[in-house]
mmCIF file of all heavy atoms in Angstrom:
data_model
loop_
_atom_site.group_PDB
_atom_site.id
_atom_site.type_symbol
_atom_site.label_atom_id
_atom_site.label_comp_id
_atom_site.label_asym_id
_atom_site.label_seq_id
_atom_site.Cartn_x
_atom_site.Cartn_y
_atom_site.Cartn_z
ATOM 1 N N LEU A 78 16.194 -7.507 73.648
ATOM 2 C CA LEU A 78 14.749 -7.633 73.764
ATOM 3 C C LEU A 78 14.331 -9.089 73.963
ATOM 4 O O LEU A 78 13.271 -9.520 73.539
ATOM 5 C CB LEU A 78 14.058 -7.024 72.544
ATOM 6 C CG LEU A 78 14.308 -5.527 72.380
ATOM 7 C CD1 LEU A 78 13.510 -4.972 71.225
ATOM 8 C CD2 LEU A 78 13.978 -4.771 73.654
ATOM 9 N N THR A 136 11.597 -17.529 60.578
ATOM 10 C CA THR A 136 12.796 -17.456 61.413
ATOM 11 C C THR A 136 12.975 -16.046 61.976
ATOM 12 O O THR A 136 13.921 -15.357 61.618
ATOM 13 C CB THR A 136 14.030 -17.826 60.563
ATOM 14 O OG1 THR A 136 13.631 -18.837 59.658
ATOM 15 C CG2 THR A 136 15.172 -18.313 61.405
ATOM 16 N N GLY A 137 12.097 -15.616 62.838
ATOM 17 C CA GLY A 137 12.282 -14.327 63.495
ATOM 18 C C GLY A 137 11.468 -13.194 62.890
ATOM 19 O O GLY A 137 10.820 -13.342 61.846
ATOM 20 N N GLY A 138 11.518 -12.069 63.587
ATOM 21 C CA GLY A 138 10.731 -10.901 63.208
ATOM 22 C C GLY A 138 11.201 -10.262 61.909
ATOM 23 O O GLY A 138 10.381 -9.774 61.116
ATOM 24 N N SER A 139 12.504 -10.247 61.686
ATOM 25 C CA SER A 139 13.025 -9.648 60.445
ATOM 26 C C SER A 139 12.447 -10.392 59.252
ATOM 27 O O SER A 139 12.049 -9.798 58.247
ATOM 28 C CB SER A 139 14.552 -9.736 60.404
ATOM 29 O OG SER A 139 15.102 -9.087 61.523
ATOM 30 N N MET A 140 12.402 -11.706 59.371
ATOM 31 C CA MET A 140 11.866 -12.545 58.296
ATOM 32 C C MET A 140 10.358 -12.350 58.151
ATOM 33 O O MET A 140 9.835 -12.297 57.031
ATOM 34 C CB MET A 140 12.204 -14.011 58.578
ATOM 35 C CG MET A 140 11.659 -14.974 57.563
ATOM 36 S SD MET A 140 12.369 -14.767 55.927
ATOM 37 C CE MET A 140 13.749 -15.901 56.042
ATOM 38 N N ASN A 142 8.735 -9.620 58.817
ATOM 39 C CA ASN A 142 8.577 -8.322 58.161
ATOM 40 C C ASN A 142 8.889 -8.424 56.671
ATOM 41 O O ASN A 142 8.250 -7.780 55.839
ATOM 42 C CB ASN A 142 9.498 -7.284 58.810
ATOM 43 C CG ASN A 142 9.058 -6.931 60.225
ATOM 44 O OD1 ASN A 142 7.904 -7.122 60.580
ATOM 45 N ND2 ASN A 142 9.985 -6.425 61.022
ATOM 46 N N HIS A 175 12.154 -0.802 63.297
ATOM 47 C CA HIS A 175 13.285 -1.731 63.355
ATOM 48 C C HIS A 175 14.090 -1.695 62.047
ATOM 49 O O HIS A 175 13.520 -1.522 60.976
ATOM 50 C CB HIS A 175 12.757 -3.145 63.609
ATOM 51 C CG HIS A 175 13.817 -4.145 63.889
ATOM 52 N ND1 HIS A 175 14.261 -5.050 62.948
ATOM 53 C CD2 HIS A 175 14.550 -4.378 65.007
ATOM 54 C CE1 HIS A 175 15.205 -5.813 63.484
ATOM 55 N NE2 HIS A 175 15.394 -5.423 64.730
ATOM 56 N N SER A 177 15.253 -3.869 60.252
ATOM 57 C CA SER A 177 14.961 -4.890 59.234
ATOM 58 C C SER A 177 14.042 -4.332 58.144
ATOM 59 O O SER A 177 14.106 -4.775 56.995
ATOM 60 C CB SER A 177 14.308 -6.115 59.884
ATOM 61 O OG SER A 177 13.093 -5.788 60.513
ATOM 62 N N THR A 228 4.601 0.108 63.839
ATOM 63 C CA THR A 228 5.282 -0.687 64.860
ATOM 64 C C THR A 228 4.490 -0.718 66.162
ATOM 65 O O THR A 228 4.033 0.315 66.640
ATOM 66 C CB THR A 228 6.699 -0.127 65.115
ATOM 67 O OG1 THR A 228 7.357 0.043 63.859
ATOM 68 C CG2 THR A 228 7.518 -1.080 65.972
ATOM 69 N N GLY A 230 5.382 -1.376 69.581
ATOM 70 C CA GLY A 230 6.548 -1.536 70.450
ATOM 71 C C GLY A 230 7.825 -1.279 69.666
ATOM 72 O O GLY A 230 8.435 -2.212 69.154
ATOM 73 N N THR A 231 8.201 0.006 69.535
ATOM 74 C CA THR A 231 9.428 0.301 68.783
ATOM 75 C C THR A 231 10.636 -0.185 69.569
ATOM 76 O O THR A 231 10.604 -0.244 70.800
ATOM 77 C CB THR A 231 9.563 1.810 68.483
ATOM 78 O OG1 THR A 231 9.547 2.522 69.725
ATOM 79 C CG2 THR A 231 8.436 2.293 67.585
ATOM 80 N N THR A 232 11.682 -0.511 68.841
ATOM 81 C CA THR A 232 12.811 -1.219 69.421
ATOM 82 C C THR A 232 13.502 -0.435 70.541
ATOM 83 O O THR A 232 13.924 -1.026 71.531
ATOM 84 C CB THR A 232 13.802 -1.583 68.296
ATOM 85 O OG1 THR A 232 13.048 -2.237 67.269
ATOM 86 C CG2 THR A 232 14.894 -2.497 68.776
ATOM 87 N N ASP A 257 4.214 -4.460 62.817
ATOM 88 C CA ASP A 257 5.385 -5.164 63.339
ATOM 89 C C ASP A 257 5.313 -5.144 64.869
ATOM 90 O O ASP A 257 5.679 -4.171 65.517
ATOM 91 C CB ASP A 257 6.662 -4.473 62.839
ATOM 92 C CG ASP A 257 7.917 -5.070 63.481
ATOM 93 O OD1 ASP A 257 7.810 -6.104 64.175
ATOM 94 O OD2 ASP A 257 9.004 -4.487 63.285
ATOM 95 N N GLY A 258 4.844 -6.254 65.425
ATOM 96 C CA GLY A 258 4.740 -6.358 66.878
ATOM 97 C C GLY A 258 5.818 -7.260 67.458
ATOM 98 O O GLY A 258 5.605 -7.857 68.530
ATOM 99 N N ALA A 259 6.948 -7.362 66.744
ATOM 100 C CA ALA A 259 8.008 -8.286 67.176
ATOM 101 C C ALA A 259 8.337 -8.105 68.664
ATOM 102 O O ALA A 259 8.480 -9.066 69.407
ATOM 103 C CB ALA A 259 9.258 -8.099 66.322
ATOM 104 N N PHE A 260 8.413 -6.863 69.113
ATOM 105 C CA PHE A 260 8.776 -6.573 70.493
ATOM 106 C C PHE A 260 7.571 -6.703 71.433
ATOM 107 O O PHE A 260 7.543 -7.585 72.302
ATOM 108 C CB PHE A 260 9.410 -5.186 70.551
ATOM 109 C CG PHE A 260 9.788 -4.678 71.921
ATOM 110 C CD1 PHE A 260 9.882 -5.523 73.020
ATOM 111 C CD2 PHE A 260 10.080 -3.325 72.095
ATOM 112 C CE1 PHE A 260 10.239 -5.039 74.273
ATOM 113 C CE2 PHE A 260 10.440 -2.833 73.344
ATOM 114 C CZ PHE A 260 10.508 -3.688 74.433
ATOM 115 N N ASN A 286 6.964 -11.735 68.287
ATOM 116 C CA ASN A 286 8.003 -12.699 68.637
ATOM 117 C C ASN A 286 7.797 -13.258 70.043
ATOM 118 O O ASN A 286 8.159 -12.594 71.020
ATOM 119 C CB ASN A 286 9.388 -12.025 68.629
ATOM 120 C CG ASN A 286 9.956 -11.865 67.241
ATOM 121 O OD1 ASN A 286 9.364 -12.306 66.264
ATOM 122 N ND2 ASN A 286 11.115 -11.245 67.151
ATOM 123 N N HIS A 288 9.649 -15.177 71.340
ATOM 124 C CA HIS A 288 10.986 -15.305 71.938
ATOM 125 C C HIS A 288 11.416 -14.010 72.636
ATOM 126 O O HIS A 288 12.399 -13.991 73.363
ATOM 127 C CB HIS A 288 12.039 -15.784 70.919
ATOM 128 C CG HIS A 288 12.540 -14.768 69.942
ATOM 129 N ND1 HIS A 288 12.463 -14.925 68.582
ATOM 130 C CD2 HIS A 288 13.178 -13.590 70.119
ATOM 131 C CE1 HIS A 288 13.003 -13.901 67.970
ATOM 132 N NE2 HIS A 288 13.441 -13.067 68.884
ATOM 133 N N LYS A 289 10.689 -12.948 72.457
ATOM 134 C CA LYS A 289 11.030 -11.726 73.173
ATOM 135 C C LYS A 289 10.333 -11.690 74.538
ATOM 136 O O LYS A 289 10.946 -11.953 75.538
ATOM 137 C CB LYS A 289 10.702 -10.503 72.315
ATOM 138 C CG LYS A 289 11.750 -10.337 71.193
ATOM 139 C CD LYS A 289 11.665 -9.052 70.446
ATOM 140 C CE LYS A 289 12.901 -8.869 69.578
ATOM 141 N NZ LYS A 289 12.725 -7.837 68.553
ATOM 142 N N SER A 296 14.655 -18.984 67.585
ATOM 143 C CA SER A 296 13.771 -17.887 67.268
ATOM 144 C C SER A 296 12.341 -18.401 67.262
ATOM 145 O O SER A 296 12.098 -19.497 66.782
ATOM 146 C CB SER A 296 14.043 -17.370 65.847
ATOM 147 O OG SER A 296 15.337 -16.883 65.694
ATOM 148 N N SER A 298 8.775 -16.714 65.995
ATOM 149 C CA SER A 298 8.028 -15.579 65.485
ATOM 150 C C SER A 298 6.741 -16.091 64.847
ATOM 151 O O SER A 298 6.724 -17.174 64.270
ATOM 152 C CB SER A 298 8.871 -14.830 64.443
ATOM 153 O OG SER A 298 8.249 -13.610 64.085
HETATM 154 C C1 PLP B 1 13.420 -7.488 67.478
HETATM 155 C C2 PLP B 1 12.598 -6.764 66.506
HETATM 156 C C3 PLP B 1 12.526 -7.203 65.174
HETATM 157 C C4 PLP B 1 13.396 -8.308 64.638
HETATM 158 O O1 PLP B 1 13.098 -9.549 65.135
HETATM 159 P P1 PLP B 1 14.201 -10.717 64.999
HETATM 160 O O2 PLP B 1 13.483 -11.923 65.457
HETATM 161 O O3 PLP B 1 15.349 -10.315 65.874
HETATM 162 O O4 PLP B 1 14.602 -10.781 63.561
HETATM 163 C C5 PLP B 1 11.662 -6.546 64.319
HETATM 164 N N1 PLP B 1 10.921 -5.508 64.754
HETATM 165 C C6 PLP B 1 10.974 -5.048 66.012
HETATM 166 C C7 PLP B 1 10.104 -3.916 66.420
HETATM 167 C C8 PLP B 1 11.830 -5.657 66.933
HETATM 168 O O5 PLP B 1 11.908 -5.165 68.182
#
Side-chain angles (χ1 to χ4, degrees):
L78 298 185
T136 324
S139 302
M140 178 65 91
N142 291 338
H175 189 258
S177 61
T228 310
T231 58
T232 309
D257 174 8
F260 177 16
N286 281 357
H288 77 237
K289 285 190 168 164
S296 299
S298 189

